[in-house]
Amino acid sequence: MRNYPTIEDIREAQKRLQPHIKHTPLLRAEKIELGLGCQLYLKPENLQITGAFKIRGALNKTLSLPKEDIANGIIATSSGNHAQGLAYAARMLGVKAILVLPVTTPKIKIENTKALGAEVVLFDGDTAARWKRVYEIAEENQYVPVHAFEDPLVMAGQGTIGCEILQDLEDVDTVIIPMGGGGLISGIATALKEIKPSVRVIGAEPALTPKYYHSRINKQRTSLPLKNTVADGLRISVPGQNPYPIIEKYVDEIILVEDEYIIAGMRSLAKDAKLIAEPAASIGIGALLSGAVKVKPDEKVCAVLTGGNWDLSDLAEIYK
């Protein structure tokens, strides 16, 4: 199978997902845009069924598989949101879900995953080590692995966000997308550029995990030491193998955002848009607040908010 999604794959995913997920609204953020000098729209995937966009890719993949293939169960590793999306998909299809989560996963994401009926295995290791364990467990039990960002059907599911943006704001000029493993931005960028090539696609990456930024400079996938960032959902040390060439083809700019601006983005979304967004989801607003994204007064900018699953005690600390 191809290791990238086509626009046809994304349109098929949109039809497949339509009965099962929310077409999240596009919200004008008048208060936030006053200090930015552009027209700002928010794509709030934090309002999605599981509180994050990941349900799109997880459901698109699992709905594409023959039921007999996943009869024993499905398995993945995740920092939390893919886990919840996959757990939801498994419950909907009546199959077992096993999620290998890092020990640093926020408690709310662990609790939400378990509440959806999934089995959670906490594992102390980096992304590569966790995936190694996933494939070991999968082979032992004949589970089907569902990769959070390497799978083209998962990317196609995430790409439906791009189709929705263009349906709701056909004259959008710029779309800012968070960058973790790269599956989200690969899918959205494919949809945007294939439907409307003039759209400027910007990837926002934490300054503490600048794997795609440095890979673009080095003209090859570059692994970096893993550092802690408040945006735990974007904390990966090396670009995805399959997303990397897609991003190089379709993403116009990659912007680095310091943690202080990510937190400022969270505060601004809560104060001025009344939206609770986790740090990874707030990075696009942080990029705008930092001045790293150059905009014009009449420019229509859309920031994708990826999720809102964050512990309330942590939120209290951020918002105080």
Side-chain angles (χ1 to χ4, degrees), residues 65-249:
L65 294 169
K67 286 190 176 180
E68 57 269 24
D69 287 5
I70 59 174
N72 285 353
I74 51 181
I75 186 170
T77 184
S78 159
S79 62
N81 286 334
H82 181 60
Q84 292 168 82
L86 203 61
Y88 183 95
R91 188 180 70 173
M92 191 179 90
L93 295 171
V95 300
K96 184 177 182 180
I98 303 88
L99 283 310
V100 179
L101 305 184
V103 294
T104 55
T105 302
K107 289 182 180 179
I108 188 172
K109 295 183 179 181
I110 296 173
E111 291 168 359
N112 288 350
T113 303
K114 288 180 177 179
L116 288 165
E119 177 184 334
V120 171
V121 178
L122 295 179
F123 187 85
D124 188 8
D126 63 15
T127 305
R130 292 201 311 273
W131 272 110
K132 183 176 182 293
R133 184 59 186 141
V134 163
Y135 289 123
E136 289 171 353
I137 297 172
E139 186 174 355
E140 290 167 6
N141 298 276
Q142 294 185 312
Y143 299 146
V144 174
V146 179
H147 204 289
F149 52 84
E150 296 285 11
D151 192 300
L153 286 171
V154 171
M155 289 187 234
Q158 325 301 29
T160 59
I161 294 171
C163 293
E164 290 180 10
I165 290 171
L166 290 174
Q167 286 171 13
D168 295 343
L169 189 68
E170 61 181 19
D171 57 346
V172 64
D173 297 301
T174 298
V175 178
I176 307 174
I177 308 160
M179 299 181 77
L184 173 68
I185 195 169
S186 295
I188 296 178
T190 298
L192 293 173
K193 289 293 190 179
E194 289 294 325
I195 297 172
K196 188 181 179 185
S198 64
V199 176
R200 179 171 61 144
V201 178
I202 297 176
E205 190 169 46
L208 290 170
T209 60
K211 65 278 177 191
Y212 277 105
Y213 182 86
H214 282 286
S215 294
R216 176 160 288 189
I217 292 172
N218 297 335
K219 301 187 186 306
Q220 62 180 354
R221 289 172 68 229
T222 301
S223 179
L224 298 172
L226 198 58
K227 295 182 179 180
N228 288 326
T229 168
V230 67
D232 64 286
L234 307 178
R235 185 177 176 264
I236 294 178
S237 62
V238 62
Q241 183 172 338
N242 291 334
Y244 174 70
I246 302 170
I247 288 167
E248 286 304 290
K249 179 179 181 180

